[in-house]
Amino acid sequence: MQTFDLFVPIKSVRKSDESLAAVTIIDEGVAIMTQIIEDKSVAIRTNDDFGYLVIDDVVVPQERDELHRHVMRDTFFYENSFEWNKVWHPLSGMSLLTGPKSYGETGKPGPAYPTGTSYDLFFASVERHRDVITDFLGIDKESLKYVLAAYLYRAGWALPWHEDIGEGAEYRGAFSYYLHKEWRGNWGGELMILNDERLHEPGENTIDLAFSQGTGLYPPSHVAGGIGTFIAPKPNRLVVMRPKVLHAINTVSPLAGENMRLALAGFYL
């Protein structure tokens, strides 16, 4: 059974690096930007309407296997073990996550790159796409910094609709890199995105609404339009989202069995 790989039409493609070899038009409004990394062609997809960037085959296979082994040996704890993060509704399950790791001076606890661990394989692989990512997010490439943790979702767990809000300052973007070795199309866990929908009127607190409304949505925003897209958690895929993108993680299906959705996810600061 193959993993679904669904994208809506792409509004624009940015070209920010001399190593970008070509832009291939595959349908009206749809394009794939091709970047050459170590003699390998890497497909990069962007969508301005939904505010996402997708890069496949981010880490070379041997390094990805080592990264996977290392992450699975890391220490995980339950989200909400110490304090309730209300973006997780009590009925939506939760996640298991590790302590934070940083790229650049983030001011967050935990080690920063180079960490001297296999997490550096991820940091170094993403570094090859620095120009594309910073151009997409509108960030100066010399000031790029982000923090990440590994997240595990088992069958029955999900993350309700929300938009990311930083502590004391707004995030400059978010990302997820899918590290599980296999993911089938009927296992759920898709990243879902709504276009031009917002959680709240100005001044409302979206985190509080996650409990009071059950879904985290300010009614009736999710039914006013109700049209969005999803991105399958294809192994070795990196998804970058701009700030204030309304998104959710679909429930991992019982069909996944003991297979868990594993992602390195975090925020650009």
Side-chain angles (χ1 to χ4, degrees), residues 1 3-4 15 20 31 49 51 65 72 91 94-95 103 110 124 128 134 148 159 170 174 200-201 206 213 218 244:
M1 204 171 285
T3 302
F4 287 108
K15 186 174 181 179
L20 297 179
D49 285 338
D65 290 343
M72 292 307 295
L91 299 181
M94 58 182 76
S95 69
Y103 180 96
R128 300 166 186 154
T134 54
L148 66 80
L159 179 59
E170 292 185 350
H200 57 86
E201 300 294 337
T206 60
Q213 302 300 335
Y218 188 93
K244 298 186 180 299

Side-chain angles (χ1 to χ4, degrees), residues 218-268:
Y218 188 93
S221 64
H222 64 303
V223 294
I227 298 175
T229 189
F230 73 82
I231 301 173
K234 181 179 178 181
N236 208 16
R237 166 172 286 173
L238 175 68
V239 182
V240 177
M241 291 185 296
R242 291 187 175 127
K244 298 186 180 299
V245 170
L246 185 58
H247 61 285
I249 296 176
N250 192 22
T251 304
V252 176
S253 169
L255 296 174
E258 295 184 350
N259 296 281
M260 299 183 76
R261 183 187 190 273
L262 173 61
L264 303 183
F267 306 98
Y268 297 97

